[in-house]
Amino acid sequence: MPVYSLPDLPYDYAALEPAITGEILQLHHAKHHAAYVTGANTTLEQLAEAREHNQYGGLVGLEKTLAFHISGHVLHSIFWRNLSPEGGDRPDGELAEAISGHFGSFDAFAAQLSAATVSVQGSGWGVLAWEPLGRRLVVEQVYDHHGNVGMGSVPLLVFDAWEHAYYLQYRNVRPDYVARLWDLVSWADVQHRFAQARTTTAPTVTG
Ligand code: MN
């Protein structure tokens, strides 16, 4: 019984046009995201086999592969719901206040998240996250799906900077793709995640 499964998109493949073409979204969801789901399940099976035979010669690779695929599955599952055909504009209420409080202003936050997404070297993500120990919002620049992340951080808004997310449409001009993403952000979804994240208990470091 597979542990992970591919979630349906909350909209049609063509729903985010013209910002993101239906062709890109279909490939991205049905091929790329699906591969992370399959990869996570397959790696769990391989780890179970390693335990069964007490053979850990390939463990370093399996652990790295597990982190890659689970994180890819998590990030894409959030990404689809962060976006909406009715998205755009700016957040309001508690999220808007927290963004201003932690980044100085919405514009300063948006500039940092855009820069973090555009400047990823190779493949990765720009992420707005809740850091539960400091109880603050932070922007993280994630490599692949799982590198450069603070332990315990909860992703709230994620921008996919992998070439598969934009190259068929935007070619090498990643900044244009990132600029269009802002027009799709569902702030209601981000606000919902923000409210949930703040109920999370901080990692205990003091015992
Ligand atoms: Mn992707």
Side-chain angles (χ1 to χ4, degrees), residues 164-180:
H164 68 221
Y166 64 89
Y167 212 88
L168 286 177
Q169 185 175 0
Y170 293 91
R171 304 297 177 112
N172 58 314
V173 193
R174 192 190 287 177
D176 286 358
Y177 155 71
V178 174
R180 297 298 296 274

Side-chain angles (χ1 to χ4, degrees), residues 28 32 36 76 79-80 125 145 160 162 164-165:
H28 200 169
H32 292 280
Y36 303 133
H76 284 90
F79 184 54
W80 309 134
W125 300 72
H145 302 309
D160 192 338
W162 283 56
H164 68 221

Side-chain angles (χ1 to χ4, degrees), residues 16-207:
L16 303 183
E17 291 184 349
I20 299 174
T21 65
E23 182 189 23
I24 287 179
L25 206 54
Q26 181 165 15
L27 286 166
H28 200 169
H29 175 258
K31 301 296 182 186
H32 292 280
H33 187 174
Y36 303 133
V37 172
T38 303
N41 288 323
T42 301
T43 309
L44 283 180
E45 290 169 12
Q46 292 169 335
L47 283 164
E49 203 171 308
R51 284 194 299 277
E52 189 181 332
H53 301 289
N54 195 31
Q55 287 183 350
Y56 290 111
L59 187 64
V60 170
L62 286 174
E63 297 287 11
K64 189 175 179 184
T65 302
L66 185 69
F68 176 85
H69 287 301
I70 290 180
S71 300
H73 180 31
V74 168
L75 284 170
H76 284 90
S77 297
I78 296 171
F79 184 54
W80 309 134
R81 296 194 168 274
N82 278 165
L83 305 181
S84 165
E86 284 84 43
D89 210 356
R90 291 179 174 211
D92 54 19
E94 290 181 334
L95 179 59
E97 287 173 25
I99 286 174
S100 293
H102 293 139
F103 297 101
S105 68
F106 179 83
D107 288 340
F109 151 71
Q112 185 180 346
L113 181 56
S114 287
T117 310
V118 168
S119 64
V120 167
Q121 293 178 324
S123 299
W125 300 72
V127 173
L128 169 68
W130 174 251
E131 197 293 293
L133 192 60
R135 298 192 65 76
R136 61 173 298 115
L137 294 169
V138 292
V139 166
E140 298 185 322
Q141 186 178 56
V142 178
Y143 283 94
D144 292 330
H145 302 309
H146 56 305
N148 217 31
V149 182
M151 186 65 74
S153 293
V154 181
L156 307 177
L157 173 63
V158 302
F159 283 173
D160 192 338
W162 283 56
E163 288 185 348
H164 68 221
Y166 64 89
Y167 212 88
L168 286 177
Q169 185 175 0
Y170 293 91
R171 304 297 177 112
N172 58 314
V173 193
R174 192 190 287 177
D176 286 358
Y177 155 71
V178 174
R180 297 298 296 274
L181 280 181
W182 288 102
D183 299 332
L184 299 173
V185 174
S186 169
W187 290 109
D189 182 71
V190 182
Q191 165 64 44
H192 176 68
R193 294 176 191 282
F194 178 54
Q196 274 193 327
R198 280 178 302 159
T199 67
T200 305
T201 307
T204 302
V205 294
T206 53

